[in-house]
Amino acid sequence: MKEAAELLKKSKHAVVFTGAGISAESGVPTFRGFGGLWKNYKPEELATPEAFSRDPILVWQFYRWRQEIAYKANPNPGHLAIAKMESMGVVKAVITQNVDGLHQRAGNKHVIELHGSLWRLRCVGCGAVFQIEKPVDEVPPRCESCGSLLRPGVVWFGEPLPQREYSIAIELMEKSDVVLVVGTSGLVYPAAYLPQLAKEKGAKLIEVNVEESALTPLVDIFLKGPAGEVLPKLVEELP
Ligand code: BV8
Ligand code: ZN
């Protein structure tokens, strides 16, 4: 822990890379933890353009369920610790695979959402994008300007990442000297490639996870434990 804090204190450009594990203690199921949580579907089965064209109502019921969980959830001490590190200037940005919006609700200003957000909808007809604050009322929601179907503003399997966010993330990783990797299995690409890129560029990697992940062989310091317990302790070691 002290070693990790030293690395962060001395860092010129540290960034945070998060996955579903950072939101687990807020009651948001992780992907691996989903295991049939919703009507015995694996998320990979529903989070695809094919599933949406086949049955948009089923896919929207799945995403409204995810919206309801994220809406009722609150940022946990792990999210708050990362927001604190940003306000202290210790970390420059958060690059997340999460679509729940909890980093922003915790107060983080510079959040790169690699896989989109549950709180943005996009029209499949005219491409209009709508920001929402609460779960959709009607399923499937329709575009108020052209009447076409709206889809969740997330990146589905088989779809490319949003170019702007992905290029900013690559830029941040290339100039980072420390990357704090929190709560990710490191199995989904191209996101999982980002910490590897930083490592190749000479950055030190610190991982926080309740168990080893696909990224653990790469990291310099592994802090085993729940993010909501480990990260506040890390912040205490910083001043
Ligand atoms: C694409 C949004 C092509 C939607 C998501 C290379 C190799 C192999 C496969 C591929 C490859 N390249 C592409 C692929 C295919 C695929 C992929 O990676 N498949 C995987 C499953 C093998 N990738 C894609 O399809 C990508 N697109 O390749 O397009 C293309 C390119 C150009 C032009 C046309 C097409 C798109 C991937 C994005 C998919 N969308 N989410 C939604 O949310 O519904 S991915 C989604 O799953 C999440 O966003 C996240 O990224 C991922 C889940 O991973 P984690 O967040 O890490 O969560 P997980 O549950 O796995 O792990 C939780 C971790 O937390 C665990 O380690 C656990 O121990 C830990 N933990 C738990 N509790 C705690 C904790 N840690 C700390 N504290 C705790 N309390
Ligand atoms: Zn439209």
Side-chain angles (χ1 to χ4, degrees):
M1 183 72 80
K2 287 200 176 333
E3 216 186 324
E6 280 319 302
L7 271 183
L8 283 166
K9 269 190 273 189
K10 284 205 294 295
S11 70
K12 300 264 172 308
H13 192 283
V15 297
V16 185
F17 179 75
T18 66
I22 185 77
S23 296
E25 291 152 88
S26 296
V28 179
T30 64
F31 260 65
R32 302 278 145 315
F34 255 107
L37 261 185
W38 192 81
K39 295 186 179 174
N40 293 327
Y41 283 95
K42 284 204 298 310
E44 284 87 357
E45 286 164 344
L46 295 159
T48 65
E50 295 74 26
F52 189 72
S53 43
R54 208 176 29 246
D55 190 340
I57 292 178
L58 177 70
V59 170
W60 258 116
Q61 287 168 337
F62 171 60
Y63 279 98
R64 184 166 66 176
W65 175 72
R66 306 251 316 264
Q67 287 177 338
E68 278 152 3
I69 291 173
Y71 188 69
K72 291 196 193 85
N74 290 311
N76 65 62
H79 295 106
L80 299 172
I82 292 173
K84 177 88 174 137
M85 286 190 241
E86 187 184 47
S87 63
M88 294 164 74
V90 172
V91 301
K92 304 296 182 249
V94 177
I95 299 167
T96 189
Q97 300 166 81
N98 301 343
V99 295
D100 57 32
L102 289 175
H103 284 303
Q104 293 92 327
R105 284 175 54 195
N108 278 97
K109 299 285 174 283
H110 199 188
V111 180
I112 310 299
E113 295 177 308
L114 289 174
H115 294 162
S117 171
L118 291 170
W119 309 112
R120 267 193 307 281
L121 309 184
R122 194 166 70 245
C123 175
V124 298
C126 68
V129 174
F130 302 88
Q131 189 74 34
I132 59 173
E133 306 304 321
K134 59 183 186 54
V136 294
D137 302 326
E138 55 162 340
V139 162
R142 290 196 169 275
C143 174
E144 57 200 37
S145 33
C146 78
S148 303
L149 265 185
L150 294 176
R151 59 161 284 173
V154 299
V155 179
W156 281 329
F157 289 95
E159 292 186 323
L161 273 51
Q163 197 44 51
R164 177 181 163 279
E165 281 78 6
Y166 191 45
S167 46
I168 292 172
I170 287 176
E171 209 184 301
L172 285 167
M173 284 297 186
E174 285 182 335
K175 59 183 180 190
S176 66
D177 52 5
V178 175
V179 179
L180 184 56
V181 177
V182 182
T184 184
S185 57
L187 296 173
V188 172
Y189 284 78
Y193 168 65
L194 292 168
Q196 298 170 41
L197 170 65
K199 179 82 179 177
E200 284 156 17
K201 299 284 180 183
K204 293 284 185 206
L205 303 188
I206 302 166
E207 182 178 20
V208 177
N209 198 312
V210 290
E211 63 182 26
E212 299 209 345
S213 73
L215 293 169
T216 308
L218 282 176
V219 308
D220 301 277
I221 301 174
F222 182 75
L223 301 175
K224 187 175 178 66
E229 292 168 23
V230 172
L231 293 174
K233 290 198 186 93
L234 188 55
V235 167
E236 274 161 33
E237 298 284 337
L238 287 175

